[in-house]
């Protein structure tokens, strides 16, 4: 699929599979995201994927648009992890929060809703990060 069509799929969807790797062992998890410009914004809790991405920021994201068994589109994004919990990223962290909060239950599958009151202090339990899009490719059925 052409680049513009791939990005259109990315902007229509909200659920992706995020792949990261440590010591040549892949780890894949579902994530909800918001897209703005050439970045995906994601919320997570501390854990394995965050630990892995902080050691190896090169990740891959796979997004599907499934209409039926014979009508689908799939986009694969090579990306680079960016930690928004550092002070220089405060404005972008606010943007991530705002974009994600447009959707009901945006904090799932993180499983712990962030506090309703925003704070500028770095969080140890509610982590926002960005994925800087490096490359995009996609495939679709002919239907």
């Amino acid at each position: 699929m052409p680049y513009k069509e791939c990005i259109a799929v990315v902007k229509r969807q909200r659920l992706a599979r995020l792949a990261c790797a440590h010591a040549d062992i892949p780890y894949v998890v579902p994530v909800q995201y918001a897209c703005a410009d050439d970045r995906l914004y994601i919320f997570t809790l501390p854990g394995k994927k965050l630990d892995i991405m902080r050691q190896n920021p090169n990740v891959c994201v796979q997004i599907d648009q499934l209409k039926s068994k014979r009508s689908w589109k799939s986009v694969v994004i090579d990306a680079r992890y960016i930690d928004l919990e550092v002070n220089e990223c405060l404005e972008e962290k606010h943007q991530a929060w705002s974009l994600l909060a447009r959707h009901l239950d945006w904090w799932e599958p993180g499983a712990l809703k962030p506090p309703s009151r925003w704070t500028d202090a770095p969080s140890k339990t509610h982590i926002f990060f960005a994925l800087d899009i490096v490359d995009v490719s996609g495939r679709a059925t002919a239907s």
Side-chain angles (χ1 to χ4, degrees):
M1 291 186 327
Y3 177 83
K4 284 186 177 184
E5 191 175 347
C6 290
I7 293 301
V9 169
V10 172
K11 290 185 176 187
R12 277 193 300 271
Q13 302 302 310
R14 290 185 40 237
L15 181 66
R17 283 152 195 87
L18 170 66
C20 48
H22 174 69
D24 294 331
I25 299 173
Y27 182 68
V28 180
V29 293
V31 293
Q32 288 197 52
Y33 68 90
C35 182
D37 300 320
D38 285 336
R39 286 203 169 163
L40 302 181
Y41 293 101
I42 300 170
F43 161 78
T44 190
L45 299 173
K48 186 173 181 175
K49 74 176 166 290
L50 195 58
D51 294 342
I52 292 172
M53 290 187 301
R54 285 178 170 164
Q55 291 177 16
N56 177 5
N58 299 308
V59 301
C60 185
V61 177
Q62 191 268 331
I63 300 164
D64 290 320
Q65 179 181 316
L66 181 64
K67 290 183 181 176
S68 72
K69 198 176 193 179
R70 295 194 172 137
S71 179
W72 53 264
K73 294 179 181 181
S74 179
V75 175
V76 174
I77 299 170
D78 294 329
R80 187 156 183 85
Y81 164 81
I82 298 168
D83 192 338
L84 298 182
E85 293 304 316
V86 295
N87 291 334
E88 305 87 49
C89 295
L90 187 56
E91 187 175 316
E92 194 167 10
K93 183 178 173 181
H94 282 280
Q95 180 184 8
W97 179 290
S98 174
L99 290 169
L100 288 163
R102 291 179 184 171
H103 304 284
L104 183 65
D105 296 339
W106 61 273
W107 41 272
E108 292 180 345
L112 180 62
K113 187 174 183 178
S116 57
R117 182 170 162 81
W118 176 263
T119 68
D120 290 342
S123 175
K124 293 185 181 184
T125 59
H126 300 88
I127 312 298
F128 289 86
F129 64 92
L131 298 178
D132 203 10
I133 296 174
V134 175
D135 193 25
V136 177
S137 63
R139 294 193 61 173
T141 57
S143 315

